[in-house]
Amino acid sequence: MRINILASLVAFGMGAAAIAVSAEGAQSNQEDSFRNLVLFGDVLSRIEQDYVTDTAQSELIEAAIEGMLTSLDPHSNYHNPDSYADLRVTTRGEYGGLGMEVTSRDDFITVVSPIADTPAERAGLMTNDRIIAVDGDSIIGHSIDEAVELMRGAVGEPVTITIARGDDEPFDVNLVRDTIPLRTVASRLEDETIPYIRVAGFNDRTTEMLLESITELENEMDGQLPGLILDMRNNPGGLLQQAITVTEVFLDGGEVVSTRNRDPNDTQRYNARPGDRINGAPVVILINGGSASAAEIVAGALQDRQRATLVGMTSFGKGSVQTIIPLRGGADGALRLTTGRYYTPAGRSIQATGIEPDIHISSFPIDPEEENGRYSEADLDGALVNETGEERHEADIAQIEQPPADWPEDEDYQLARAIEILRTQMESQQAALQ
């Protein structure tokens, strides 16, 4: 990384001090800034001169930047030039990898959710799995960027990851890297009469693919959709703008989401353009603990606007906005910095609390001890608290609908119930129109 860090920091400190001259306490702030810059320079110089082996200044500086951002929140981090290139690929192209969203929790690289139809999902990786080694080498304590770099690679190359799941003994999972496609939308008819669309993430083409899927379903049904199941379970999120345009597909105008930055008066509101694509047909949205970020924006907006019924389990609770800030045009990588929070149309902040479904339904029988062991945004190291003081509500297990004892393990209970709920809503709407 070609940065003269001392010159850059001193210049920054002088500029910041100049801006702050008219502010109360500016002199003290200026002195603190220069004192800290001198301290940083002293430590860097001492390491370069006296450390037992030769060091690379660029690596030291990169580690310092990563440490600085790690002290903020779990979603702020530094992308070196290679990592920044990978980041752009995941939203615009495709890459060779395993297909899962991961985060860092208690020094462990932890699975947030596998992406649909990828090696990770096909291998049965699950939310909350901890990845403790790649090809036999421990990655405990590694940064997310380091772990991702080890797991990505050329399509067709094998890789073995070691998984720690709950209290079970760690086990190896053998995978073959595949092309992780940008296609985030899939559709089909359930029971030949129930339109179903799965949205697995939000990239540059998600809204376009959603509209294409609606048209394909209409062609298959020879007419307007009578209703729709929108499945966003284990959807890790993605681009804010795509969350907005996906939501407006089902709204006839009105607010979708608002964001607020450091200044509480700096509020930006995003509204849907008129034109509900499915003309008010009932919508049932499936969510679970792996539904995060942009998926929560869509679910929260359609719930607040009474445009959809949410079915499943409480979502992950990531209610913060990240901005990608290229450094020197990307030549020095980029910062992924948390710059604000988002709010549903009713003004709800879901940071650390999540979106609660209208109907709590679990996809499997719940063990009370395992339920307490589930994690969410609120459990991540350094996670922002909900500024309203709200805390995540743990649903009363007795109030959560669970599969009957004889329910087949290979059948999707949440989806089966969503189909029943949507069918009832479609029948009610049709009866009202007659």
Side-chain angles (χ1 to χ4, degrees):
M1 181 173 58
R2 294 173 296 176
I3 299 176
N4 185 328
I5 192 67
L6 293 179
S8 298
L9 287 175
V10 170
F12 173 79
M14 293 177 65
I19 294 171
V21 165
S22 60
E24 183 178 351
Q27 183 64 36
S28 175
N29 289 338
Q30 181 180 354
E31 291 175 357
D32 288 344
S33 295
F34 280 109
R35 187 180 301 113
N36 289 327
L37 292 173
V38 170
L39 172 62
F40 182 90
D42 285 346
V43 172
L44 180 63
S45 177
R46 183 62 66 181
I47 291 172
E48 290 182 312
Q49 292 177 26
D50 297 339
Y51 188 66
V52 65
T53 62
D54 289 339
T55 58
Q57 186 185 80
S58 61
E59 293 178 2
L60 292 172
I61 295 169
E62 184 172 321
I65 293 171
E66 289 174 350
M68 183 165 42
L69 290 163
T70 300
S71 72
L72 301 178
D73 74 291
H75 306 295
S76 293
N77 57 293
Y78 169 69
H79 294 275
N80 63 32
D82 290 340
S83 174
Y84 179 44
D86 287 343
L87 177 67
R88 287 181 291 176
V89 164
T90 58
T91 57
R92 298 178 187 173
E94 51 190 26
Y95 60 94
L98 305 180
M100 56 185 158
E101 176 81 1
V102 296
T103 190
S104 179
R105 182 185 181 218
D106 298 332
D107 284 335
F108 289 98
I109 301 301
T110 304
V111 177
V112 173
S113 61
I115 298 171
D117 195 28
T118 64
E121 185 194 52
R122 291 191 289 268
L125 296 186
M126 300 170 61
T127 297
N128 212 18
D129 280 348
R130 293 174 295 173
I131 304 171
I132 61 175
V134 176
D135 285 332
D137 295 327
S138 173
I139 61 169
I140 297 173
H142 280 40
S143 70
I144 292 177
D145 283 347
E146 291 170 334
V148 167
E149 186 173 350
L150 289 172
M151 289 186 283
R152 285 189 182 173
V155 172
E157 285 189 351
V159 62
T160 299
I161 62 175
T162 305
I163 297 295
R165 179 177 294 167
D167 295 327
D168 297 341
E169 286 292 319
F171 57 93
D172 288 342
V173 179
N174 299 314
L175 301 162
V176 176
R177 295 180 176 96
D178 197 358
T179 298
I180 306 303
L182 277 180
R183 184 156 190 88
T184 54
V185 180
S187 63
R188 63 178 184 265
L189 287 179
E190 291 284 346
D191 295 343
E192 300 183 353
T193 60
I194 302 295
Y196 167 94
I197 294 179
R198 161 78 174 148
V199 177
F202 293 84
N203 60 40
D204 278 344
R205 294 191 59 241
T206 298
T207 304
E208 176 188 346
M209 289 185 287
L210 173 64
L211 292 170
E212 289 173 354
S213 294
I214 291 174
T215 299
E216 290 169 2
L217 288 170
E218 287 175 334
N219 292 336
E220 196 169 350
M221 298 192 74
D222 294 324
Q224 180 180 316
L225 299 188
L228 178 67
I229 292 175
L230 186 66
D231 188 349
M232 294 194 297
R233 292 174 295 178
N234 295 321
N235 180 323
L239 301 177
L240 171 63
Q241 188 57 42
Q242 286 292 310
I244 295 166
T245 51
V246 164
T247 305
E248 73 178 3
V249 168
F250 306 104
L251 293 176
D252 190 19
E255 185 169 320
V256 173
V257 67
S258 62
T259 61
R260 301 176 199 169
N261 300 330
R262 187 169 182 170
D263 181 351
N265 296 318
D266 184 12
T267 299
Q268 187 165 1
R269 300 186 182 278
Y270 299 90
N271 295 313
R273 293 170 294 183
D276 181 340
R277 178 62 180 78
I278 63 172
N279 299 312
V283 177
V284 171
I285 296 178
L286 281 166
I287 60 171
N288 64 7
S291 305
S293 191
E296 294 174 289
I297 290 175
V298 176
L302 295 180
Q303 184 183 53
D304 278 2
R305 299 289 304 279
Q306 299 182 336
R307 183 61 188 88
T309 301
L310 272 54
V311 171
M313 301 295 284
T314 302
S315 63
F316 189 71
K318 180 180 175 295
S320 58
V321 178
Q322 281 69 48
T323 301
I324 304 299
I325 306 171
L327 301 174
R328 209 164 61 84
D332 288 327
L335 298 182
R336 185 173 188 256
L337 193 65
T338 298
T339 55
R341 305 171 191 258
Y342 69 74
Y343 298 80
T344 69
R348 291 186 292 164
S349 167
I350 65 163
Q351 173 60 25
T353 61
I355 295 288
E356 294 188 17
D358 299 301
I359 305 173
H360 281 88
I361 299 177
S362 176
S363 60
F364 49 81
I366 299 174
D367 181 321
E369 294 184 3
E370 288 186 5
E371 179 63 19
N372 291 336
R374 295 183 181 280
Y375 86 101
S376 65
E377 171 80 7
D379 300 312
L380 298 181
D381 292 339
L384 298 174
V385 299
N386 189 296
E387 70 281 15
T388 68
E390 287 286 328
E391 295 184 355
R392 188 178 180 88
H393 298 149
E394 292 300 332
D396 183 352
I397 294 178
Q399 301 301 316
I400 299 174
E401 183 181 334
Q402 302 177 44
D406 59 349
W407 187 263
E409 290 186 4
D410 59 347
E411 292 190 20
D412 189 337
Y413 184 71
Q414 286 177 327
L415 177 57
R417 290 288 291 117
I419 290 171
E420 293 176 359
I421 292 166
L422 181 63
R423 182 174 282 120
T424 298
Q425 293 181 351
M426 292 190 307
E427 290 171 354
S428 296
Q429 187 177 71
Q430 288 300 315
L433 293 174
Q434 292 178 358

